[in-house]
Amino acid sequence: MRALSVRNVVVLLPRWLHRPHFSPSSPAPPCTSFLPSRTLITNRHLGKVSGFKDRKVLRGSTKATKKQRVPNNVLDDKDLSHILWWKERMDVCKKPSTIQLLKRLEYSNLLGLDCNLRNGSLKEGTLNWEMLQFKSKFPREVLLCRVGDFYEALGIDACILVEYVGLNPFGGLRSDSIPKAGCPVVNLRQTLDDLTNNGFSVCIVEEVQGPTQARSRKGRFISGHAHPGNPYVYGLVGVDHDLDFPEPMPVIGISRSARGYCMILVLETMKTYTIEDGLTEEAVVTKLRTSRYHHLFLHVSLRQNSSGTFRWGEFGEGGLLWGECRSRHVEWFDGNAISEILSKVKELYDLDNEVIFRNKTVHSENRPRSLTLGTATQIGAIPTEGIPSLLKVILPPNCTGLPVLYIRDLLLNPPSYEIGSTIQGICKLMNSVSCSIPEFTCVSSAKLVKLLELRETNHIEFCRIKNILDEILQMHRASELNEILRLLIDPTWVATGLKLDFETLVDGCELASGKICEIIFLDGESDQKFSSFCGFPNEFFEDMESSWKGRVKRIHIDDVFTEVERAAEALYLAVTEDFGPIVSRIKAMSASLGGPKGEILYAREHEAIWFKGKRFTPTVWAGSPGEEQIKQLKPAFDSKGKRVGDEWYTTMKVEDALTRYHEASSKAKARVLEVLRELSTELQSNINIIVFSSMLLVIAKALFSHVSEGRRRKWTFPTLAVSHSFKDVKPLEGYEGMKIVGLVPYWLNIAQGSAVQNTVDMKSLFLLTGPNGGGKSSILRSVCAAALLGICGLMVPAESALIPYFDSIMLHMKSYDSPADEKSSFQVEMSELRTIITGTTKRSLVLIDEICRGT
């Protein structure tokens, strides 16, 4: 048996032996996962993972002599690692239909196709072979290939669609065919959302549109990718609806040095990266729990502990981070942390080595430490059961999306004293504004960058960009808002890493807004109405022309615009001359029952204007009006040459006019898309202005919303006192400590009078005592929240406050309470204990009752 096992893995065994992953005494390989993976070796057999050499297929006596179809492809070490990666994901599939498909996989190629099954050929020139070539370029992405009106997936990718998207396999569960699944073209977006929401990246292959020669295969190309937080945008330039663009997910790299932990966050869409150095282990875990990311890389420096071993987390150092990462898929890397992470991002997203990533890190010596995980959860900065949300209190309910994310990041990563003071100055000015304010159009900067970079920005997004730029200019021109705009420059600089002065921002907004205004068709213009004729089914013209009219100004497309108008008029004349007399004849001789029927209709499915009728052919040809036109009628056929039906008719003249109109309309649409793409290219030189402006408006809306809610709750602006240790910052005279008058828990409303106010005057260490349920935890949370809000420049729930600028804020509670349920930790524990002892003796219940009363 042992000899047989060796023969079965003779192709792959030499490649497995040199891999350190299988050596118990060796450190982990450069690429691994904390996820427990089901090994592929069972009883020393490598189950269905094999090379193409020396393979034999035993399918019973009748097929034992069948010639093996052996492709020319041979697995290498890199392909093998990708197949093992997919094998792990196949092992966790649970749906019965998926499990049936898994039995037909052959892990001998990246698609997982068994060449001996029906439609499984990988012969050069076949569609399967072509898809394998695309798959080899992005082996860890699900491949969707356009085939007619469907996007199809084969083998492993088909199993993913069935498991995570809920699609049914093509051909049912027949066991003699390769796994195949797919979705209609109209359902592509939903399919991509389902895949990316489950953590998969997708490579989309499109067909080259246009006529092809008979018996020739359509050309195909990779049109784009969809990643978690990074959607597929190909073709959006030609649509008239918005795309739901999620927040971009960074690629995260974590390393360790003498300064502490270092986290590198890389955003491929923005071509930027941020370095956060000197972090504590808790801060790193907090950031991992509060951010969604695409990939997580760990540097080998994390393994080097005081014991000199490579068993990370075993001896206490890094144990918290190890516990957080063990349930996540990670990859290890070595070398210079920044350069290696950027290199992996370029490889992951198929970027050229010449692509430059901008460092958006803004360093400040006076910046406090990020919140620890315990602090963030105990004050509701991170959603926690039983803890009132701080974000829902400092912002009104109608404030959602990007402004909420900005405030959350501001609380989790408090700003420097200078930025915190600036934010407070902005909020004070906003509190006294009496003029009208802009709508504050909030659009993700990553969305704008990606659409402009890939030249897929449609007219809707251009109008939105213009609104952003015009709102900046509106704030510039309004005297009350001008100073607010100037102060917003610095917080926006910290958020984007772009350093722009006030004049550059204003001039750039005017220039970019002017470019858009010159090209884009704006509201109020009325020189692009749809073609319309009396007695004609004008829905046809609306459907044909709505895909390109009303997008760019007519002056840029006047020649093709005129040609469409002429073609529409020619079509109208052809339909009127060929179909009109027939319709008039039918109306003149119509009968109540069994008479001739006929009318001119729009065949929406076939994008044509045809005559539809029955019993209109005369029994005796007498030369009456309409007979000559009836003789010219011929059956209508669809684009595939199939007759549409027994009641649809057309003429050569009408068909020629339809062809002319469609060609003119297609030419006009192509010209419109060309103009839009040229505008995207032109605006790429103003991309920093657009990114800066969009982020500035997000911050402005967040702060305006906070001030509005704070004023409704009767909160106040604290006085910020700075420590003597801060450089280049003049300390406040008479600074002695923190004093807060009329402090209330942040989750209670002062305006409603339901809160008990407290005065806190702290100059050193305090020991807080009190009975169970007396409010000790509430005081701690209130002081912590007030101090955090104060150093962030926001309003605090008090009558007045003097808050020193702390370099670190930490709240630690060993026991847990539930302020949202108005229960102390003691009451929560007793409630749980009551639940546990339900149904026991009466004496036990009495004892619990006495304990609850404090006796």
Side-chain angles (χ1 to χ4, degrees):
M1 179 62 71
R2 181 177 179 83
L4 178 61
S5 299
V6 173
R7 284 198 298 269
N8 283 344
V9 297
V10 66
V11 176
L12 298 180
L13 190 54
R15 295 173 181 169
W16 282 57
L17 288 177
H18 77 277
R19 293 172 65 86
H21 181 69
F22 294 93
S23 175
S25 60
S26 301
C31 176
T32 186
S33 170
F34 283 103
L35 291 172
S37 61
R38 292 167 57 184
T39 180
L40 300 179
I41 300 180
T42 305
N43 295 330
R44 290 191 172 271
H45 287 75
L46 193 59
K48 292 202 81 175
V49 182
S50 57
F52 286 110
K53 297 180 180 180
D54 302 330
R55 285 200 308 162
K56 294 183 179 181
V57 179
L58 301 178
R59 296 181 176 274
S61 60
T62 59
K63 298 183 180 180
T65 59
K66 185 178 178 179
K67 185 176 180 181
Q68 175 77 24
R69 288 178 289 177
V70 182
N72 294 327
N73 306 330
V74 178
L75 287 176
D76 57 19
D77 287 341
K78 194 171 184 180
D79 288 342
L80 178 59
S81 66
H82 298 313
I83 290 178
L84 295 178
W85 187 85
W86 280 112
K87 184 64 168 63
E88 287 186 357
R89 277 133 192 87
M90 295 296 99
D91 286 344
V92 298
C93 293
K94 298 179 180 179
K95 290 187 176 180
S97 55
T98 310
I99 294 175
Q100 291 299 318
L101 294 178
L102 294 180
K103 298 177 181 179
R104 307 208 299 268
L105 293 179
E106 180 75 27
Y107 297 100
S108 57
N109 54 75
L110 291 172
L111 289 174
L113 298 184
D114 187 343
C115 301
N116 298 283
L117 293 179
R118 182 181 178 187
N119 300 324
S121 173
L122 289 172
K123 183 180 178 181
E124 184 174 351
T126 62
L127 178 59
N128 292 356
W129 176 84
E130 188 177 5
M131 292 178 68
L132 181 60
Q133 308 312 305
F134 289 125
K135 183 73 172 181
S136 63
K137 296 181 180 179
F138 302 96
R140 295 198 180 184
E141 295 185 13
V142 177
L143 182 71
L144 292 180
C145 181
R146 176 77 176 267
V147 182
D149 296 331
F150 282 82
Y151 287 92
E152 296 185 0
L154 304 177
I156 295 173
D157 299 330
C159 296
I160 294 295
L161 291 185
V162 174
E163 179 72 17
Y164 295 97
V165 185
L167 300 179
N168 294 322
F170 289 169
L173 297 175
R174 53 188 303 173
S175 59
D176 62 339
S177 180
I178 61 172
K180 182 184 291 188
C183 68
V185 172
V186 294
N187 293 342
L188 175 63
R189 297 288 173 188
Q190 183 61 50
T191 300
L192 295 179
D193 289 343
D194 291 338
L195 290 172
T196 54
N197 289 340
N198 282 283
F200 292 100
S201 295
V202 189
C203 175
I204 300 94
V205 176
E206 292 282 353
E207 288 180 335
V208 176
Q209 299 300 317
T212 58
Q213 297 180 356
R215 297 183 179 180
S216 63
R217 183 176 298 279
K218 285 189 175 182
R220 291 182 172 85
F221 62 97
I222 295 178
S223 56
H225 304 264
H227 304 283
N230 193 346
Y232 178 63
V233 299
Y234 176 79
L236 287 181
V237 65
V239 302
D240 57 356
H241 57 79
D242 192 15
L243 171 67
D244 185 16
F245 205 98
E247 268 302 291
M249 294 187 188
V251 173
I252 296 180
I254 303 176
S255 63
R256 188 180 183 184
S257 66
R259 291 171 49 87
Y261 289 89
C262 176
M263 178 178 283
I264 306 170
L265 298 93
V266 185
L267 285 175
E268 182 273 335
T269 51
M270 302 293 293
K271 302 299 185 293
T272 60
Y273 67 94
T274 306
I275 305 172
E276 300 186 39
D277 201 2
L279 299 175
T280 63
E281 187 179 1
E282 265 214 345
V284 172
V285 173
T286 303
K287 292 179 182 297
L288 287 178
R289 291 192 183 180
T290 56
S291 62
R292 300 178 61 196
Y293 55 83
H294 186 194
H295 278 273
L296 177 61
F297 293 94
L298 301 181
H299 195 265
V300 293
S301 58
L302 294 173
R303 298 203 201 102
Q304 299 171 2
N305 52 35
S306 58
S307 301
T309 68
F310 288 93
R311 304 206 293 198
W312 180 46
E314 182 174 349
F315 297 96
E317 298 182 21
L320 183 62
L321 181 58
W322 178 80
E324 183 70 20
C325 293
R326 65 180 302 181
S327 60
R328 304 170 184 258
H329 177 77
V330 304
E331 295 184 23
W332 293 91
F333 72 104
D334 200 353
N336 181 273
I338 298 176
S339 60
E340 286 298 321
I341 281 294
L342 294 180
S343 176
K344 288 186 175 295
V345 169
K346 292 177 182 179
E347 180 182 356
L348 185 65
Y349 292 96
D350 191 36
L351 302 177
D352 295 333
N353 290 328
E354 292 74 20
V355 174
I356 299 176
F357 283 78
R358 175 176 59 86
N359 185 359
K360 55 174 288 189
T361 308
V362 177
H363 297 282
S364 175
E365 296 182 359
N366 297 336
R367 186 164 188 169
R369 289 183 175 272
S370 300
L371 293 190
T372 63
L373 180 62
T375 304
T377 55
Q378 285 297 326
I379 62 173
I382 298 176
T384 307
E385 183 180 1
I387 307 298
S389 172
L390 183 59
L391 290 174
K392 292 182 179 180
V393 173
I394 63 180
L395 293 173
N398 61 352
C399 183
T400 58
L402 296 175
V404 176
L405 294 179
Y406 173 76
I407 293 295
R408 187 200 67 175
D409 292 340
L410 184 69
L411 296 176
L412 294 177
N413 306 281
S416 64
Y417 172 79
E418 296 83 1
I419 299 300
S421 299
T422 301
I423 290 176
Q424 187 184 89
I426 295 171
C427 291
K428 288 181 177 179
L429 290 175
M430 289 178 172
N431 192 41
S432 59
V433 166
S434 58
C435 66
S436 60
I437 61 175
E439 291 290 334
F440 296 120
T441 303
C442 294
V443 184
S444 170
S445 300
K447 176 181 182 179
L448 300 179
V449 169
K450 182 165 187 177
L451 292 177
L452 290 173
E453 179 184 348
L454 298 180
R455 304 173 71 218
E456 292 290 345
T457 315
N458 59 25
H459 65 292
I460 297 176
E461 292 302 330
F462 278 124
C463 290
R464 196 166 284 144
I465 293 174
K466 188 176 186 302
N467 289 340
I468 291 173
L469 302 172
D470 290 347
E471 288 173 3
I472 297 292
L473 297 176
Q474 178 184 345
M475 295 181 68
H476 167 61
R477 299 186 184 108
S479 57
E480 287 189 70
L481 302 178
N482 184 277
E483 183 60 27
I484 294 177
L485 179 62
R486 291 179 181 272
L487 292 177
L488 282 168
I489 296 291
D490 283 345
T492 309
W493 161 53
V494 173
T496 62
L498 296 170
K499 187 67 173 177
L500 298 179
D501 56 56
F502 183 77
E503 289 73 19
T504 301
L505 174 64
V506 173
D507 293 343
C509 289
E510 290 178 345
L511 179 61
S513 178
K515 290 179 181 179
I516 297 175
C517 187
E518 291 176 1
I519 302 296
I520 299 299
F521 181 88
L522 303 174
D523 293 338
E525 302 180 21
S526 57
D527 61 342
Q528 297 193 30
K529 295 181 179 179
F530 300 134
S531 301
S532 178
F533 299 95
C534 182
F536 193 91
N538 291 308
E539 298 88 353
F540 168 77
F541 291 123
E542 292 180 12
D543 288 350
M544 297 301 103
E545 298 174 7
S546 61
S547 61
W548 58 273
K549 278 189 176 180
R551 283 161 169 73
V552 301
K553 285 183 167 54
R554 177 165 179 168
I555 189 175
H556 303 289
I557 56 170
D558 188 62
D559 55 340
V560 294
F561 201 108
T562 303
E563 178 58 29
V564 170
E565 290 179 333
R566 293 172 179 171
E569 185 176 359
L571 176 60
Y572 167 72
L573 293 175
V575 170
T576 304
E577 293 173 0
D578 286 7
F579 298 157
I582 304 176
V583 174
S584 299
R585 174 188 173 91
I586 292 174
K587 289 181 178 179
M589 56 187 300
S590 61
S592 57
L593 293 174
K597 303 289 184 182
E599 57 184 331
I600 302 171
L601 292 178
Y602 167 35
R604 190 181 303 273
E605 182 180 353
H606 306 284
E607 299 181 348
I609 300 294
W610 289 329
F611 174 78
K612 184 178 182 181
K614 57 184 178 180
R615 299 188 299 273
F616 58 85
T617 303
T619 306
V620 179
W621 298 92
S624 58
E627 288 187 7
E628 188 64 29
Q629 285 76 18
I630 292 177
K631 293 179 181 179
Q632 297 176 6
L633 292 179
K634 65 174 187 176
F637 293 87
D638 59 17
S639 59
K640 298 180 180 180
K642 183 179 179 181
R643 184 169 179 176
V644 176
D646 296 335
E647 299 179 358
W648 291 95
Y649 297 90
T650 185
T651 65
M652 290 295 298
K653 186 177 179 180
V654 170
E655 288 301 299
D656 291 342
L658 275 171
T659 301
R660 177 187 173 186
Y661 177 80
H662 280 302
E663 290 177 351
S665 185
S666 298
K667 188 176 180 181
K669 182 177 180 179
R671 177 70 66 83
V672 168
L673 298 185
E674 180 184 354
V675 173
L676 291 175
R677 287 194 166 100
E678 289 176 353
L679 181 57
S680 291
T681 302
E682 190 174 355
L683 285 180
Q684 287 180 19
S685 60
N686 305 101
I687 192 66
N688 286 347
I689 294 293
I690 296 173
V691 168
F692 194 91
S693 301
S694 64
M695 190 66 218
L696 187 145
L697 292 185
V698 169
I699 298 175
K701 183 170 184 177
L703 298 184
F704 259 114
S705 300
H706 167 66
V707 169
S708 173
E709 184 66 12
R711 184 164 49 188
R712 186 185 71 83
R713 290 178 173 271
K714 295 185 179 180
W715 288 11
T716 188
F717 291 103
T719 300
L720 296 181
V722 66
S723 170
H724 289 271
S725 62
F726 280 7
K727 297 180 180 179
D728 303 324
V729 179
K730 184 178 180 180
L732 184 71
E733 294 184 5
Y735 162 76
E736 295 180 353
M738 178 172 64
K739 185 174 183 179
I740 307 177
V741 178
L743 174 68
V744 298
Y746 64 84
W747 59 93
L748 300 179
N749 198 334
I750 301 177
Q752 296 178 353
S754 59
V756 176
Q757 298 182 343
N758 293 275
T759 296
V760 178
D761 189 357
M762 292 184 62
K763 298 181 182 179
S764 61
L765 178 67
F766 268 72
L767 182 62
L768 187 62
T769 63
N772 296 326
K776 299 184 296 299
S777 299
S778 297
I779 284 290
L780 292 176
R781 274 196 190 87
S782 302
V783 172
C784 179
L788 178 61
L789 293 171
I791 67 173
C792 289
L794 305 177
M795 303 176 75
V796 299
E799 294 180 354
S800 64
L802 172 65
I803 298 177
Y805 203 84
F806 299 103
D807 59 2
S808 180
I809 295 178
M810 186 182 72
L811 174 64
H812 178 68
M813 292 186 177
K814 186 175 182 180
S815 59
Y816 58 93
D817 55 359
S818 182
D821 300 323
E822 299 183 355
K823 290 183 178 181
S824 66
S825 58
F826 181 79
Q827 291 170 324
V828 170
E829 291 172 359
M830 291 302 102
S831 297
E832 292 182 353
L833 190 54
R834 284 174 181 270
T835 303
I836 294 173
I837 65 173
T838 299
T840 59
T841 64
K842 183 177 180 180
R843 178 60 180 169
S844 298
L845 289 173
V846 172
L847 288 174
I848 297 300
D849 285 338
E850 291 175 350
I851 294 175
C852 289
R853 291 193 297 269
T855 59

